[in-house]
Amino acid sequence: MSKQELFRRYIVFFLALTIGACGVTLVTRSHLGVNSVACLSYVSSIYLPVTMGTVVIIFNLSMLILQFFLYKRVELKYHLMNLLLQIPAFFFFGVLVDIFMFLTKNFNPDFYLVEFAALIFGSILIAFNIALQATANVTMLSCDAFVKVLAEKINKKLGSVKLIYDVILVASAACIALIFSHGTEIQGIREGTVIGAIIIGPLVQLMFPRCAFFKRWILKSA
């Protein structure tokens, strides 16, 4: 792989993260429930004196550390570079989430159709982000990489492990909300959480072949 190709891959990757952060923000601002991976960060930011982006960074850092325990010592030398490259990726993503949350602080729709439109458009952006990350094929956010490595280590299907992982995250977010609200409310988990879980996967499958333009650009001659 040439340096030019690698550079173009990272341009596409960080473009994907930017689109993904925008999508997460729109889904959050819809007030109809955030997606499974972001719900823990969103709920924590409501009840604790931290921003959503800060929790995103801390959460991904914890997933990165867990990956070190999943790999055997002899395997680490082959995966160390990929693990280290995850650090700037999730820092960049977390900062972007905070930036987009700040820029949209006055976007508080109180009409359900507007909220639903924000939810759907945000979900489309999240799916596009995933398709672009797959097209770039350089590294991943640690939360996604952890699921992939765990599935490989326990020899289970990625989809099954991802489903259990998402359920655990949503349940954890619900528990945090119940604890801090003294059992009176569950923030961030609504119909949008379920809708996102249903439509994002098929949207990724639909969009990935349509990212051929980016693939051709990545592979073009230097």
Side-chain angles (χ1 to χ4, degrees), residues 156-178:
K156 298 294 182 181
K157 291 182 178 180
L158 179 61
S160 301
V161 177
K162 173 65 172 171
L163 177 60
I164 295 172
Y165 179 77
D166 287 348
V167 169
I168 291 173
L169 291 182
V170 172
S172 300
C175 289
I176 290 174
L178 287 171

Side-chain angles (χ1 to χ4, degrees), residues 20-35:
C22 183
V24 168
T25 302
L26 277 176
V27 171
T28 303
R29 292 301 188 194
S30 75
H31 304 300
L32 296 181
V34 296
N35 67 312

Side-chain angles (χ1 to χ4, degrees), residues 35-164:
N35 67 312
S36 56
V37 174
C39 66
L40 188 61
S41 301
Y42 174 66
V43 171
S44 298
S45 70
I46 293 176
Y47 296 105
L48 299 173
V50 291
T51 65
M52 185 174 174
T54 300
V55 183
V56 166
I57 292 171
I58 294 172
F59 175 68
N60 275 275
L61 178 60
S62 67
M63 293 298 103
L64 173 64
I65 293 171
L66 287 177
Q67 287 177 72
F68 278 91
F69 289 101
L70 290 176
Y71 285 120
K72 295 178 181 177
R73 181 175 298 180
V74 69
E75 295 175 314
L76 274 177
K77 63 179 181 180
Y78 297 107
H79 297 281
L80 183 60
M81 183 57 67
N82 179 269
L83 290 168
L84 295 177
L85 286 173
Q86 292 174 27
I87 298 174
F90 65 67
F91 265 95
F92 181 76
F93 186 75
V95 170
L96 280 178
V97 168
D98 276 349
I99 290 173
F100 285 127
M101 288 294 287
F102 174 78
L103 293 176
T104 59
K105 63 182 179 181
N106 294 323
F107 179 68
N108 293 297
D110 54 4
F111 185 52
Y112 190 84
L113 285 179
V114 177
E115 294 176 335
F116 190 77
L119 169 70
I120 297 300
F121 186 55
S123 297
I124 291 172
L125 291 180
I126 291 172
F128 187 36
N129 142 69
I130 296 171
L132 280 180
Q133 285 193 55
T135 301
N137 193 28
V138 280
T139 188
M140 305 171 71
L141 290 175
S142 297
C143 57
D144 298 323
F146 169 76
V147 176
K148 179 176 179 291
V149 175
L150 179 62
E152 292 171 352
K153 290 300 180 182
I154 64 176
N155 196 27
K156 298 294 182 181
K157 291 182 178 180
L158 179 61
S160 301
V161 177
K162 173 65 172 171
L163 177 60
I164 295 172

